[in-house]
Amino acid sequence: MSHLPPTQEPDTVEGSSAPHPVDQTLPPLKLLSAGLQHVAAMYAGVVAPPLVVGIGVGLSTADIAFLMSASLFTSGIATLLQTLGFWKVGARLPFVNGVSFAGVAPMLAIAKAEGPEDALPVIYGAVMVAGVFGFLLAPWFCKLIRFFPPVVTGTVITLIGVSLLPVAFNWAQGGNRQAPDYGSLTYIGLATATLLITVALRRLLRGFLKQIAILLGLVAGTLISLPLGVADFSAVADADIVGIPTPFHFGAPQFAAAAIISMCIVMLVSMTESTADVLALGEIVDKPADEKTLAAALRADGLGTAISPLFNGFAASAFAQNVGLVAITKVRSRFVVAAAGGILLLLGLCPVLASVVALIPQPVLGGVGIALFGTVAASGIQTLTGAALERGDNILIVAISLGAGIIPIAAPEFYHSFPESARIVLDSGISTGCVVAVLLNLAFNHLGKQPAPEPTPLTPAAHH
């Protein structure tokens, strides 16, 4: 069943030789501007993990900048693997890959255990092994797709959006909780103005300009921020024109068992989230992901993760915020996201260009982020309309899974007494909610299919 809104253009008619909208190309200018919109939406998410890890390891400002450029470069490689693909690698959907935030806490723990000298080499060794592990596991992991009916996918897609909204709220307040002006009226006002401008542009513009309303809103918000003194130009002034991500810049990888186990667990978490994101994107672009597509997507995640440390990057995984961008703009071409991958490569090779994108203030990103992430949650609710919620069992699955997934958002310290290894999964509302939804769906819709004392007969769709 398609869950696209009524305004979505129809797919190719049966018997037509025209390619699916996912496989259609756009004129160069539209391709570039729509791709840049994806980069703007994901930029803060890509550079945040290397910034946090770099500070945690104790790197110099120059090395942290190098680490951020390397992450942009490796995110470009991973995105191209997903969108263009080769052999059985890549979902070939408008699917953005970037640095996974799921690995930040474990990497900081590794850094603390290993000390500043060996921290990054040990982290990179563990990430490489985890990437290979994910690549080899993909054909088996993707078989879980039969346990992701609409009652599960709708719940998880909703959780993706709800889990991302606090990120937008943080950006809207300035992004740095330690700053004295965090949450100031200036920041929140700027975020609100950006959101209102974006909504107005979506309402008033037509055609392609309407499709890039997010990008235009970002530009407008940034221009408004200039007289307010919110935009910071120092990054541009200090940036190099060319910066090659030298292989193994921080030393040859080292392989420590504890670090490898930790990053393999992170890889499983990322694969779970990527599975949900691929299924969500398949629904949004009206090209539902099957087992083959899911396996190819997970292979790209694994290969991108395994390659990233070579160029000083970290684990790569799906970026859910860009799924929301596809849902809003209705631009389904994977070549648009491939163009975004090319822009990321260029930004990684040209720090001065990367710093220009970094000019977009966090509150401006927060304003559009509310629309982007809220759209993901709305897409999940839309998917749930086809989940037979009139059955008491299914609505209970949704209720408990949403509750479990919202715990890390509503009560961030809820699991503070749990072991660190357990918190890797539990502190991710998406992963926790996904696991709970799958298990409850198994219990109610797969195990013991004979009638219970007071059953509502299961429909065949419930077993797909």
Side-chain angles (χ1 to χ4, degrees), residues 194-211:
T194 303
L195 177 59
L196 292 176
I197 290 170
T198 303
V199 171
L201 291 172
R202 281 286 300 179
R203 177 66 182 86
L204 299 174
L205 296 179
R206 295 289 181 268
F208 180 68
L209 288 177
K210 181 176 183 177
Q211 292 176 334

Side-chain angles (χ1 to χ4, degrees), residues 7 14 19 44 49 58 74 90 119 182 184 200 210 229 340 354 370 459:
T7 55
E14 189 174 351
T74 54
Y182 180 76
S184 68
K210 181 176 183 177
I370 291 171
T459 61

Side-chain angles (χ1 to χ4, degrees), residues 330-390:
K330 308 296 189 293
V331 178
R332 295 186 275 175
S333 171
R334 61 190 173 101
F335 297 106
V336 163
V337 178
I343 294 170
L344 288 169
L345 285 176
L346 184 61
L347 292 176
L349 294 172
C350 187
V352 70
L353 283 179
S355 64
V356 170
V357 179
L359 280 176
I360 302 173
Q362 297 268 358
V364 173
L365 286 171
V368 299
I370 291 171
L372 289 178
F373 307 156
T375 301
V376 176
S379 296
I381 295 169
Q382 192 174 34
T383 301
L384 285 172
T385 61
L389 294 185
E390 66 276 5

